[in-house]
Amino acid sequence: MESELPDIYCPFPQRTNPHVGHVREHLDRWTRNTGLVHRDSARERFEQADFGAFVGMVYPTADSENLDLVADWFVWLFLVDDQLDDGHLGRSPDRVRKVVAMMQSVVNGAGAPADVEPPAAVVALADLWERTMPTCAAHWRRRFSWHLMTYLTTATTWEAGNRADDVVPPEATYIEKRRHTGAIHVCMDLIEIVAGIEAPESIHNDPRFITALEASCNVVCWANDVYSYEKEQVLGEIHNLVHLVRHHRGYGEQQSLDHVCTEIATETERFLAAEHELLTAYPQLSWMLEPYLDGMRSWMRGNLDWSRQTPRYNPADVSQYKEPEQYLEATVLGVRQD
């Protein structure tokens, strides 16, 4: 008997960005220019996933230019993530160190390597870096760079190592790592760009802000685990909270899904409490805190809405928009195989 996805508690309104049509056209051009999506069959599946709609749901207030930028970050993160999660690369930690080193070079300001032809993923990252960093404050760049590289290194070492060694991580460890392997901190950092705000370090270090951010990130990541669970079971993926609950607690599938959705509701309430405390503590910073917190709410709601409608998590088509394995390795690692 097939399990039913429980309703996920989300008290925030549905919204979308008016520039979604434009950003879809932009993504088509950008992925062609960078070579991130190459074959016609992969492009068809990429278009079906509709990342333009997704970015419009999670950044509903962004102007057209900023929406294009964050949409490009989205696509880059998703395509790299798919190779680490679903492809053979994610099961071979040594094989991705080369590309991570190239990406680290871009993040450190050295740009794409000049002595070799860089793979598409590195070329695209260099383009994103050049378009994102010039107007950003130094402390934002440091935080964003750390989150990006922590995502890449955690996904390529911790997750890949678990897969290679057949290790099922404890729930608590997974929950802590999940916010990095899902790159959600990178996406939350982009709120400051689309909202045109600059949050001081004192706010980022405030325990109430940390709680609101952590809770909203958990809601997004765990909702993703609920919707991707069936597909990831087909792929044999162990890094999913529903799977870990079943494994460690001995629950059945439906009980595990219900349990995770209850935890999502708890995290949503934790966010709301921290949000109230933060706005009460800093009324003079409401001009900056309100759009930041609104961005977190938009992420929780938009991620849920997109997950409900996208075919990306359909277990009947685990290939999704992916390229054949040999092309993907060429795209990510820069090893050409004709």
Side-chain angles (χ1 to χ4, degrees), residues 321-336:
Y321 53 80
K322 292 171 60 180
E323 303 280 6
E325 199 71 44
Q326 66 269 25
Y327 176 77
L328 284 164
E329 293 197 20
T331 302
V332 176
L333 294 175
V335 180
R336 293 294 172 195

Side-chain angles (χ1 to χ4, degrees), residues 81-92 163 322 325:
D81 187 67
D82 274 357
Q83 289 323 295
L84 300 176
D85 279 354
D86 301 346
H88 294 316
L89 297 178
R91 289 162 174 78
S92 304
R163 295 186 190 102
K322 292 171 60 180
E325 199 71 44

Side-chain angles (χ1 to χ4, degrees), residues 132-144 192-193 197-199:
T132 305
M133 294 303 142
T135 59
C136 297
H139 66 84
W140 187 91
R141 288 198 300 271
R142 287 192 299 271
R143 184 169 59 252
F144 184 81
E192 293 194 37
I193 289 180
I197 57 177
E198 183 181 313

Side-chain angles (χ1 to χ4, degrees), residues 5-6 8 221-230 240-242 256-257 260-261 264:
L5 293 183
I8 293 179
C221 292
W222 301 353
N224 175 266
D225 282 2
V226 168
Y227 277 90
S228 64
Y229 170 71
E230 192 175 351
N240 181 292
L241 187 55
V242 181
S256 299
L257 286 164
V260 173
C261 289
I264 290 171

Side-chain angles (χ1 to χ4, degrees), residues 86-103:
D86 301 346
H88 294 316
L89 297 178
R91 289 162 174 78
S92 304
D94 292 341
R95 297 167 68 191
V96 293
R97 286 177 181 162
K98 175 182 175 182
V99 73
V100 172
M102 286 184 176
M103 292 173 180

